[in-house]
Amino acid sequence: MIPFGKYFFPFSGNVSGKLRKFPSLFETFRMPMQPFLEEIAVHILEQYTDRSGEICLVTPNRRAGLFLRKHISRKVTKPTWSPSFLSIEDFVNRISGYQVVDNLSLMFHFYGVYRNIEGNKADPVEDFLRWGSVLLRDFDEIDSTLEKPELLFEYLQDIKYIETWNPDGEELNAFQKNYLSFFKKFNTYHKALTAFLDKQNLAYQGMSYRKAANRLNENPGILPWEKVIFAGFNALNHAEEIIINSLAKAGMAEILSDSDPYYEGNPSHEAGFFIRKYRKKWDIPLDKEKPSFFTSAKEIRVMGIARQVNQAQLAGNILEQDSDLAMNEQTAVVLANENLLVPVLNALPEKASAINITMGYPLVKTNLYGFFEALFQLYLTADRLNAHAQGKTPSFYYKDLLRFFSNTCTALLWDTRQGQTRLDQLFQRISFSNKVFYSFEELTGLVGVDEGFQEAFHFLSQDWTEGFNGIIPTLRSLSDRLEKAFRNKAGEAFGSLQQSPFFMDFEALYYFGKIFARLETILTNGESVNNTRTLWQIIRLSALETRMAFSGEPVEGLQVMGMLETRNLDFKNIILLSANEDVLPKGKSNNSFIPYEVRRKYGLQVHSDKDSVYAYHFYRLLQRAQKIYLIHDTESDGMGSSEKSRFITQLEHELPKFNPKIHIHNQLISLSPSIKTGAQEINIPKTPEIIERLSQMASNGLSPSSLNTFIRCS
């Protein structure tokens, strides 16, 4: 028997039989604003009082499971066994028995398989990386959706044949033949890769989904639990549907959904698309007596302001000035554009003493990433311009040197106390000279007698065009030195690393260390990296896919999170930033080899499905909230970018008609919010060297634009 919403229903293939009410779950939902996970906790303790240790609670992510554990622990009144709490991915991996491999290792496994198939015709690593990552994402999605992927590959191949067909009978050219051959081999690559990984008990996530679905379809009794409860799911992939079907037939599954009649009962409302789909598929009628959360009073403020950073400052001002917004777990700042995390953290008021960040910060946004990027750019430009001779130290382009030496990590690498001052002097000497390229010896000559410079930057004398396996140890050595420098500087000037401005870079060292260690293992195992550009491309791709996790108390304090992190969670107060079109929902993305018509035919997710997913997250987030701020950017940065989200327009037109007690206020903020930090004058003393350089520039004439620039900021 499966409860869906407030009903139990018998499940055997298509649902049949008489539905009977599920009173215990429904009757505990008395408080109109009771969080969904608290409702689940009450249900668990009532229905499984003496056998809670025999059930497994599966949630869309680990965060929801953590909050569910909190609700259950608060309501337990006597000693009892704890249920198992698993995210859907952890649950699937446990069933499949596979170890899910990291993206970097998976890429090199795939390249090894590809090279064995193609032999001498194989692309070099740098070319393979451009399309290999895209194809791996397609494989992952296909495996979690289709039982027979070969049918899709055959269909895709036929479409490509039609696209290149010449009605006049003219023979295909070499490019067209290579194009068709590439798509023809997708099935071969897929079979070879999955066979290779299976032998080593490894998998990517979609492959693990397929294995788990097949295992449970054959024998649901392999699970150690009496009952598996799936809580708060909306859009299921095909493998998840098979898993639930298999457990349901064995009487081992329950589905507890979180939806609202406001959007679920409207056939044209995209937020209820997937819930209605499953009700129709499993023949579950909609409970028309279920009260809607949108019948309660809500205050919604739609606020437009120019520029993204000003959105963050506006959110901070709202928290500062609105006394109704408690600085605790009842209030959430939700970032539809997660790049606003740092501006938002800087804009939070001082009274927000406890903050829980439930989203990862992109590794590529850290200053440390800029340090390694600038370091590699030194060698990439030198290699591209042949600015080095065999057996000699490389010569670096002066603009790349200025970029590298302007990074704060570089200053700490030299000297934690006087490094920045010394680098400023070196920066000026490079800027005012007429040289274009500098070797390490020439840089040492500019610095003068300073053994610290030679010791700190001796790695610039290395030739990276040979012995690529030696580059990784150099990078790891730099990481170790930076860690010591961060600690020393924090102890001298800030008291602790957490209070220092480079704490984020210190945390980033751990993630770069993992990337370097994984690369070192791969290179040691014989994988070939032919040049510095390829090595940087690998590091860059790994950094792009890495997000830094924040530590803290996850169930206390003001909640700062991304849109997907709000799944299953409920808040009394919501401040949503970047509520713009193409952000909420996200715009169309074609980063795939599978065209729209093939995706639609074989049930893969298309952009309209993604819109429905985001619509559900948006409306579900609002349904229990009482005070809501929706902030959008009014500055046009391209077609449609300044347009507020269609979800807001939908709210404005439909919600007041549904419930007159819901008030929606529109407001445009014409002026930027006041910045808390005091204005500091920018003052650059005109030294004799600067005056001399300005005179040299003036002797050749100054352009009107340069004069205007100087007048605006002299």
Side-chain angles (χ1 to χ4, degrees):
M1 309 293 285
I2 305 180
F4 192 107
K6 56 181 265 190
Y7 288 100
F8 272 121
F9 62 89
F11 196 107
S12 178
N14 291 327
V15 178
S16 60
K18 183 178 180 181
L19 296 172
R20 65 185 180 88
K21 287 265 186 166
F22 175 29
S24 60
L25 178 59
F26 180 70
E27 289 178 356
T28 58
F29 297 174
R30 295 168 186 166
M31 293 177 59
M33 295 303 167
Q34 187 177 24
F36 170 67
L37 293 179
E38 186 175 345
E39 297 173 353
I40 300 297
V42 173
H43 165 61
I44 297 301
L45 295 177
E46 286 191 356
Q47 298 297 315
Y48 302 93
T49 306
D50 299 322
R51 48 197 179 98
S52 56
E54 300 175 4
I55 65 173
C56 177
L57 292 161
V58 181
T59 53
N61 55 24
R62 294 177 182 174
R63 176 70 51 181
L66 189 62
F67 275 78
L68 180 55
R69 188 193 302 267
K70 178 199 74 170
H71 285 298
I72 290 179
S73 65
R74 288 180 176 178
K75 294 185 178 298
V76 169
T77 58
K78 62 180 181 179
T80 184
W81 290 103
S82 171
S84 297
F85 298 88
L86 294 175
S87 69
I88 183 62
E89 290 184 351
D90 293 337
F91 177 73
V92 165
N93 296 338
R94 183 164 179 174
I95 298 170
S96 70
Y98 283 131
Q99 177 185 347
V100 175
V101 67
D102 64 272
N103 291 332
L104 183 58
S105 299
L106 178 62
M107 183 66 68
F108 276 97
H109 287 320
F110 186 22
Y111 183 67
V113 169
Y114 161 76
R115 194 170 52 187
N116 289 336
I117 294 173
E118 298 296 337
N120 295 331
K121 297 181 180 180
D123 290 342
V125 177
E126 55 268 26
D127 293 335
F128 170 82
L129 291 174
R130 295 190 182 97
W131 58 265
S133 58
V134 178
L135 190 55
L136 279 175
R137 281 194 292 270
D138 286 340
F139 285 171
D140 185 85
E141 186 176 3
I142 289 169
D143 273 329
S144 63
T145 305
L146 300 177
E147 297 178 19
K148 297 181 178 180
E150 59 272 10
L151 298 179
L152 181 146
F153 294 130
E154 291 176 4
Y155 189 82
L156 177 61
Q157 181 184 339
D158 291 340
I159 285 182
K160 297 303 175 182
Y161 271 116
I162 294 174
E163 289 179 356
T164 55
W165 173 58
N166 292 325
D168 56 4
E170 184 179 348
E171 185 178 355
L172 300 179
N173 57 39
F175 175 81
Q176 290 173 318
K177 290 179 180 178
N178 290 334
Y179 180 75
L180 290 176
S181 176
F182 176 68
F183 284 93
K184 185 178 180 179
K185 292 179 179 178
F186 279 6
N187 191 36
T188 303
Y189 296 156
H190 178 264
K191 285 185 177 180
L193 177 62
T194 52
F196 172 82
L197 294 174
D198 185 66
K199 288 181 181 178
Q200 303 185 57
N201 202 41
L202 301 175
Y204 47 85
Q205 193 62 59
M207 183 178 167
S208 182
Y209 264 107
R210 176 196 294 275
K211 178 71 171 181
N214 291 339
R215 289 194 67 190
L216 282 182
N217 197 29
E218 295 171 358
N219 181 18
I222 61 175
L223 296 184
W225 305 288
E226 174 187 318
K227 189 77 70 175
V228 179
I229 299 175
F230 297 88
F233 285 86
N234 174 43
L236 303 171
N237 62 43
H238 184 65
E240 290 169 342
E241 290 184 25
I242 293 177
I243 289 172
I244 293 176
N245 285 343
S246 301
L247 294 176
K249 290 178 182 179
M252 298 176 61
E254 289 186 15
I255 307 173
L256 302 179
S257 67
D258 185 23
S259 63
D260 193 277
Y262 170 70
Y263 53 81
E264 187 184 343
N266 183 351
S268 60
H269 204 299
E270 56 190 343
F273 172 78
F274 286 102
I275 299 294
R276 292 192 298 269
K277 171 186 172 182
Y278 300 133
R279 286 192 181 277
K280 181 178 179 181
K281 178 178 180 179
W282 292 328
D283 194 21
I284 312 168
L286 175 67
D287 178 17
K288 297 182 180 180
E289 297 179 1
K290 181 179 179 181
S292 171
F293 289 109
F294 288 95
T295 57
S296 60
K298 297 180 186 295
E299 182 182 350
I300 302 176
R301 294 187 176 273
V302 180
M303 309 179 77
I305 190 169
R307 304 186 68 84
Q308 295 187 18
V309 174
N310 288 343
Q311 291 186 69
Q313 190 65 45
L314 177 58
N317 289 352
I318 291 172
L319 290 169
E320 179 77 47
Q321 298 172 10
D322 192 339
S323 58
D324 293 335
L325 301 185
M327 298 293 179
N328 55 27
E329 65 275 8
Q330 292 294 320
T331 303
V333 179
V334 182
L335 310 181
N337 178 5
E338 297 185 359
N339 291 328
L340 286 179
L341 176 59
V342 170
V344 166
L345 294 180
N346 289 328
L348 292 178
E350 294 182 359
K351 62 181 180 180
S353 56
I355 304 170
N356 177 43
I357 306 170
T358 62
M359 56 186 288
Y361 186 70
L363 187 61
V364 294
K365 297 293 183 180
T366 61
N367 189 46
L368 185 65
Y369 174 84
F371 169 81
F372 287 116
E373 184 181 37
L375 174 59
F376 269 90
Q377 191 60 51
L378 287 172
Y379 285 93
L380 292 177
T381 305
D383 184 55
R384 179 169 57 87
L385 299 179
N386 295 319
H388 63 83
Q390 194 69 24
K392 296 183 180 180
T393 58
S395 294
F396 303 115
Y397 187 46
Y398 80 101
K399 287 188 176 180
D400 293 337
L401 285 170
L402 294 179
R403 180 185 177 189
F404 177 70
F405 287 132
S406 63
N407 189 287
T408 54
C409 293
T410 310
L412 291 176
L413 200 63
W414 188 351
D415 188 330
T416 56
R417 295 183 178 180
Q418 300 296 325
Q420 189 61 57
T421 302
R422 295 176 180 178
L423 273 184
D424 289 342
Q425 296 173 354
L426 177 59
F427 195 97
Q428 289 187 4
R429 291 168 186 170
I430 294 175
S431 300
F432 296 152
S433 71
N434 293 322
K435 288 183 64 65
V436 178
F437 290 95
Y438 286 90
S439 66
F440 178 68
E441 290 77 9
E442 290 169 327
L443 289 173
T444 304
L446 284 179
V447 174
V449 182
D450 191 328
E451 296 180 357
F453 178 84
Q454 296 187 30
E455 182 180 353
F457 301 107
H458 181 71
F459 57 88
L460 294 178
S461 65
Q462 295 179 349
D463 184 3
W464 281 13
T465 59
E466 294 183 355
F468 295 103
N469 290 349
I471 298 177
I472 301 299
T474 299
L475 297 176
R476 298 189 70 175
S477 174
L478 285 174
S479 298
D480 293 340
R481 290 173 54 196
L482 283 172
E483 180 182 359
K484 294 178 181 178
F486 287 149
R487 292 184 183 277
N488 292 338
K489 183 67 173 179
E492 293 172 359
F494 302 100
S496 68
L497 277 166
Q498 288 77 5
Q499 297 174 347
S500 67
F502 44 80
F503 176 66
M504 196 80 74
D505 293 322
F506 177 79
E507 291 290 305
L509 282 171
Y510 168 76
Y511 295 92
F512 273 108
K514 290 178 63 176
I515 294 174
F516 297 153
R518 197 76 201 104
L519 260 176
E520 194 170 33
T521 302
I522 291 171
L523 295 176
T524 303
N525 291 336
E527 295 294 346
S528 59
V529 175
N530 298 322
N531 53 59
T532 310
R533 185 172 300 278
T534 301
L535 184 62
W536 171 244
Q537 189 176 358
I538 296 170
I539 294 174
R540 178 177 173 274
L541 287 175
S542 300
L544 283 171
E545 297 176 347
T546 302
R547 304 186 73 85
M548 300 166 52
F550 293 91
S551 59
E553 178 52 53
V555 294
E556 294 181 3
L558 177 70
Q559 304 290 307
V560 180
M561 57 181 57
M563 196 67 187
L564 292 181
E565 281 75 26
T566 65
R567 288 177 291 182
N568 286 14
L569 304 182
D570 297 293
F571 305 97
K572 180 180 178 181
N573 309 305
I574 300 291
I575 301 177
L576 175 61
L577 279 70
S578 297
N580 286 79
E581 197 65 19
D582 291 337
V583 179
L584 188 69
K586 293 186 180 297
K588 297 180 182 179
S589 175
N590 296 320
N591 193 19
S592 170
F593 288 116
I594 307 172
Y596 174 85
E597 58 271 17
V598 180
R599 288 181 164 273
R600 176 62 71 187
K601 175 176 175 59
Y602 285 93
L604 272 65
Q605 196 175 66
V606 295
H607 62 84
S608 59
D609 296 328
K610 295 178 182 178
D611 290 351
S612 298
V613 170
Y614 271 88
Y616 171 79
H617 292 324
F618 178 78
Y619 279 92
R620 201 214 67 80
L621 180 64
L622 303 189
Q623 63 191 29
R624 290 180 178 85
Q626 297 177 10
K627 178 167 280 193
I628 302 158
Y629 289 90
L630 304 177
I631 304 175
H632 62 94
D633 188 357
T634 60
E635 184 175 79
S636 178
D637 192 24
M639 185 174 295
S641 62
S642 64
E643 182 181 357
K644 62 184 177 183
S645 171
R646 73 188 76 163
F647 298 155
I648 295 180
T649 305
Q650 193 174 23
L651 282 178
E652 293 172 338
H653 283 80
E654 298 177 358
L655 204 52
K657 297 178 183 178
F658 179 79
N659 179 11
K661 292 187 294 184
I662 294 180
H663 303 286
I664 301 179
H665 310 276
N666 274 282
Q667 184 179 4
L668 289 178
I669 310 298
S670 58
L671 298 177
S672 301
S674 60
I675 305 300
K676 298 176 185 177
T677 57
Q680 295 182 355
E681 180 183 1
I682 300 175
N683 187 7
I684 301 178
K686 300 302 184 286
T687 62
E689 291 83 0
I690 293 179
I691 296 297
E692 181 182 356
R693 179 57 178 158
L694 289 174
S695 300
Q696 292 176 359
M697 296 172 61
S699 63
N700 296 324
L702 297 172
S703 67
S705 60
S706 63
L707 287 174
N708 284 331
T709 301
F710 182 78
I711 291 171
R712 284 195 300 268
C713 183
S714 60

